[in-house]
Amino acid sequence: MRLLVVGGGVAGPAVALAAVRLGLEATVLERRAVADPEEGSWITVAPNGLDALEALGVLDEVRALAVPSRATSMFGATGRHLGDVTLGKPLADGTVALTMRRSALAVLLADAAQQAGALVRRGADVVSVEDEPGRPVRVVLADGTAVEGDLLVAADGVRSRIRRTVDPAAPDARYVGLANFGGITRAADLDPSVVAGLAPEAWHFVFGRRSFFGAHPLPTGDVVWFANVPREPILRAERAATTDEEWLALLGGLVAGDAGPAAALVAAGSLELAGDSTYDLPHVPTWWRERTVLVGDAAHAPSPSSGQGAAMALEDAVVLARAVAAHGLDGPAAYERSRRARVEAVVRAGARSSSAKIPGRLGRVLVETMLAGVFRSGVAARATLAQTSHRLGDPVVPSSPSAG
Ligand SMILES: Cc1cc2nc3c(=O)[nH]c(=O)nc-3n(C[C@H](O)[C@H](O)[C@H](O)COP(=O)(O)OP(=O)(O)OC[C@H]3O[C@@H](n4cnc5c(N)ncnc54)[C@H](O)[C@@H]3O)c2cc1C
């Protein structure tokens, strides 16, 4: 069985890795020509995603490029402490959630898939799919060449092009009302009191007056941060016309007056992600057709506020590869049966987290009091524990006993 996997983000290389470990063939086709592990935004992979990485046999390598994240401390705009929330149930060996660059995770997974026997082709932009009954599936690349396989795995992200070839009526991704910015501030550019005010190995979240801000210290003393700004989507033209300095000035204005580290971090920081519009994808009615199946954000994208998108993509990858190894071309149906209810519940929870970041008609003080009540009641912690306690069971291929 030859898998053609479109997309070299998180889900694609993870499917390829699991598939080759299970004796299938896999080729990953990624549009971007160069893989840079040092670019873009940071993500936190919750313990359920780490469990999937463990099943894939790469958790130790991931641990080496990540920093632990034990909890999130929530604050209001005036500095009021609203509560602390766990980032999930640790793995049996005590491993807590891990924070890393998304690009570093993607490159690690692609390298691991390649070492295990998959082919990873970069600069391979899939422009069309031919999937007719009784024939191998065929994709055409932007350079005019074509590649054939027995099953096409569409891991091409929340704005998936292939979703519409599976179902022409498939929904578009939904804008959740927040623009995303990510940055890093170097220790050398920071007053030490700013870092001292941040708990180590934790996210520090501020429900600010005009934006939602998150900061995480690194062991080097540098601090990574993000800001979610409620506004209409940022379109390509605005992004192209706005410099990083202009975005930073805008962010500086939005966080001005909020208590906490945001103003200092923005003032001395540089942007790594600018003006990214935030989407989710709650319900895609058709996940597979003929020889094509959707996986990861292409099938079900939780808003980034859920902190679960990458973890869901990793869980998907293991479940799909196992289902195809066990059931061949009937694998996608088995995969959908075991995944749909779980991922759609996670997307719904993510949408609620996003809307809590958008100031509504209720005043800030009321919202802070409500949030403090929610955190104190343990509702948020219980929801996180429920999401992150999910485990996939055994490794994809159990490690063989050592010889001798
Ligand atoms: C700002 C931000 C913060 C986030 N934070 C978190 C977090 O803390 N925790 C968490 O778990 N998740 C987080 N997420 C979500 C997470 O990043 C995604 O859920 C995850 O990356 C989904 O993986 P994927 O492989 O399905 O899609 P992607 O990672 O988007 O990968 C899709 C890949 O397909 C390629 N591609 C697209 N079209 C084609 C084509 N036609 N031909 C070839 N290649 C193609 C793209 O270049 C890309 O590499 C965050 C997301 C954002 C935007």
Side-chain angles (χ1 to χ4, degrees), residues 74-146:
M74 315 275 187
F75 295 84
T78 55
R80 173 180 176 188
H81 183 224
L82 306 177
D84 293 334
V85 177
T86 160
L87 278 162
K89 185 180 174 187
L91 297 184
D93 68 358
T95 303
V96 295
L98 294 174
T99 294
M100 66 203 79
R101 280 189 196 274
R102 181 173 51 173
S103 57
L105 175 62
V107 169
L108 184 151
L109 288 167
D111 288 350
Q114 215 154 6
Q115 277 158 22
L119 183 65
V120 177
R121 287 181 57 184
R122 300 191 187 279
D125 184 7
V126 173
V127 292
S128 66
V129 175
E130 293 160 23
D131 186 4
E132 301 302 331
R135 305 243 295 267
V137 60
R138 185 169 183 268
V139 299
V140 178
L141 306 182
D143 65 7
T145 60

Side-chain angles (χ1 to χ4, degrees), residues 36-43 100-103 182-183 272-273:
D36 179 358
E38 296 288 329
E39 61 161 18
S41 56
W42 291 69
I43 63 171
M100 66 203 79
R101 280 189 196 274
R102 181 173 51 173
S103 57
E272 301 192 303
L273 177 76

Side-chain angles (χ1 to χ4, degrees), residues 7 9-11 30-31 43-44 102 124-126 155-156 297 307-311:
V10 177
E30 166 56 43
R31 166 195 283 164
I43 63 171
T44 297
R102 181 173 51 173
D125 184 7
V126 173
D156 52 344
D297 274 9
Q308 275 289 332

Side-chain angles (χ1 to χ4, degrees), residues 136-194:
V137 60
R138 185 169 183 268
V139 299
V140 178
L141 306 182
D143 65 7
T145 60
V147 192
E148 274 190 3
D150 299 308
L151 182 70
L152 174 60
V153 178
D156 52 344
V158 68
R159 314 288 283 279
S160 167
R161 187 183 276 164
I162 298 176
R163 194 158 59 233
R164 282 277 160 80
T165 72
V166 170
D167 175 8
D172 280 330
R174 176 177 73 170
Y175 181 60
V176 303
L178 295 169
N180 231 308
F181 295 83
I184 188 161
T185 309
R186 300 293 171 191
D189 301 325
L190 269 179
D191 185 310
S193 66
V194 176

Side-chain angles (χ1 to χ4, degrees), residues 77 179 181 206-213 227-231 246-259 262-263 266:
F181 295 83
V206 180
F207 290 82
R209 289 180 182 84
R210 290 171 293 271
S211 68
F212 179 87
F213 193 84
N228 295 155
V229 179
R231 54 159 288 167
E246 288 167 331
W247 286 127
L248 284 168
L250 178 104
L251 288 180
L254 292 172
V255 300
D258 288 344
V266 170

